[in-house]
Structures are given as C-alpha cells and as structure tokens.
Amino acid sequence: MGGVNRIRAMPQDSGIVATMSDTGKAHIFDLTRVTRSMMIKGPRAAPPHTQAYKNKGHHEEGYAVDWSGVTTGQLATGDCACGIYIWNNVGTGSGGSMASSFKVGKAYLGHTGSVEDLQWSPTESTVFSSSSVDRTVRIWDIRGKTGPQITIEAHEADVNVISWNKNVNYLLASGCDD
C-alpha cells in the first residue's frame, strides 16, 4: 500500500478514513469496529489489514484529501500529476460497510503543478478549493465543467495549504513556501 502521506476521517462517521499514499493510490478504510472497541473495557478489535476501497485513478503520489462536511460520503483527492478526483458514496457494499462502495468520477484538471491541498466549502455541497505548486488557489463547482470556476494567483511560491473559514464561509486562507 505504500507510505501514507495524508489521512482524513469522515466528519459524519469518524470510523471511515481516507488516505493518500506515495504509491499514487487513494484508500478508504473502515475503522468503525476498531474505534468502537476503544470505547469499552475489554479486548481491542484488530485493525483491518486491507482497505475497504482503493482508487487506482491517480497517476502519481498525492497529498491532497478532504471529506465534505456537507455531503456524507463525498471525498476529494489530488495528486502530484495535477489530477483531482471526486468520490461519491453509492450505498453500502456487500459487507454492509459504507467504505466499500464508492464511485469515482472523471478527473478535474486545471493545475499545472502538484495539487498540494483540497478543502470542501463548509456550506456548499458542490464547491471545493485546491492549492498547488503552480502558485494558485482554485475554486471548483462539481455541477459545472471539470475545470476551475475561479483561479487566483495567490503567491510567489508553492501554495501548500488552504483552509476555509468555518464562520465566514466566503473567506479562505492559504499558506505557501514564501
């Protein structure tokens, strides 16, 4: 599976986690049984040794991963080859786990450098932002085309992190190498 570059828990179900790896794969794990066993006295459940779902669509390693806080089971992942993918939960899989049944759509393209971070809007179910080593922050709406709706030349260096303001939903902070 490779080394884990970033991990995020689903806000609506903290037992479901997504990872981005150095192998170019995104994984979803169902840790629900493990987290429940930590809440009671007695033996702990063993962690899963395999992922519930794996996306092979990424072409290079990645760092960007974020769950939507508005739409349960909606995930965005980004890689060093400029690709961004949106995942949507399509119901529980054969094992009854939400983590085993996702549909991954076509790539969202627009960055000319590695996608370093992704963040879903705290209030809009179809809007997310991305940052890149191409020195831009981009705003996307998944209802439209697969290109960005807004491109901001934000910095003079790689934009490594972004964060939506949870109280003022139109404010976005960014951080970079400069």
Side-chain angles (χ1 to χ4, degrees):
M1 286 192 297
V4 174
N5 290 340
R6 190 146 309 151
I7 185 169
R8 295 285 184 260
M10 183 190 300
Q12 300 87 351
D13 185 344
S14 60
I16 307 296
V17 298
T19 65
M20 284 298 296
S21 74
D22 61 4
T23 64
K25 293 180 180 70
H27 301 92
I28 295 178
F29 293 89
D30 185 350
L31 303 177
T32 305
R33 199 169 59 90
V34 175
T35 55
R36 283 187 189 141
S37 76
M38 292 180 186
M39 303 300 168
I40 59 172
K41 287 187 177 190
R44 302 287 184 243
H49 295 287
T50 60
Q51 66 279 346
Y53 187 86
K54 174 174 48 176
N55 174 10
K56 299 176 188 174
H58 290 285
H59 301 292
E60 289 186 26
E61 81 175 299
Y63 294 90
V65 59
D66 193 44
W67 291 100
S68 171
V70 178
T71 303
T72 301
Q74 187 165 266
L75 177 71
T77 57
D79 62 31
C80 296
C82 312
I84 299 171
Y85 291 90
I86 304 301
W87 311 40
N88 287 293
N89 181 264
V90 292
T92 56
S94 59
S97 169
M98 172 190 269
S100 62
S101 53
F102 280 83
K103 179 182 177 195
V104 181
K106 59 188 167 199
Y108 285 75
L109 302 171
H111 283 293
T112 58
S114 173
V115 178
E116 297 296 292
D117 201 6
L118 293 164
Q119 283 254 308
W120 284 98
S121 164
T123 57
E124 300 292 326
S125 64
T126 62
V127 176
F128 70 92
S129 59
S130 62
S131 66
S132 170
V133 300
D134 67 11
R135 300 181 254 175
T136 65
V137 172
R138 298 175 192 243
I139 308 297
W140 310 74
D141 189 327
I142 62 174
R143 295 173 297 183
K145 58 184 180 171
T146 57
Q149 276 62 51
I150 299 171
T151 298
I152 304 156
E153 294 182 16
H155 296 276
E156 299 286 325
D158 301 357
V159 186
N160 299 316
V161 294
I162 48 177
S163 182
W164 287 95
N165 186 308
K166 306 290 188 237
N167 297 317
V168 184
N169 62 4
Y170 56 84
L171 291 179
L172 182 71
S174 62
C176 71
D177 285 349
D178 66 0

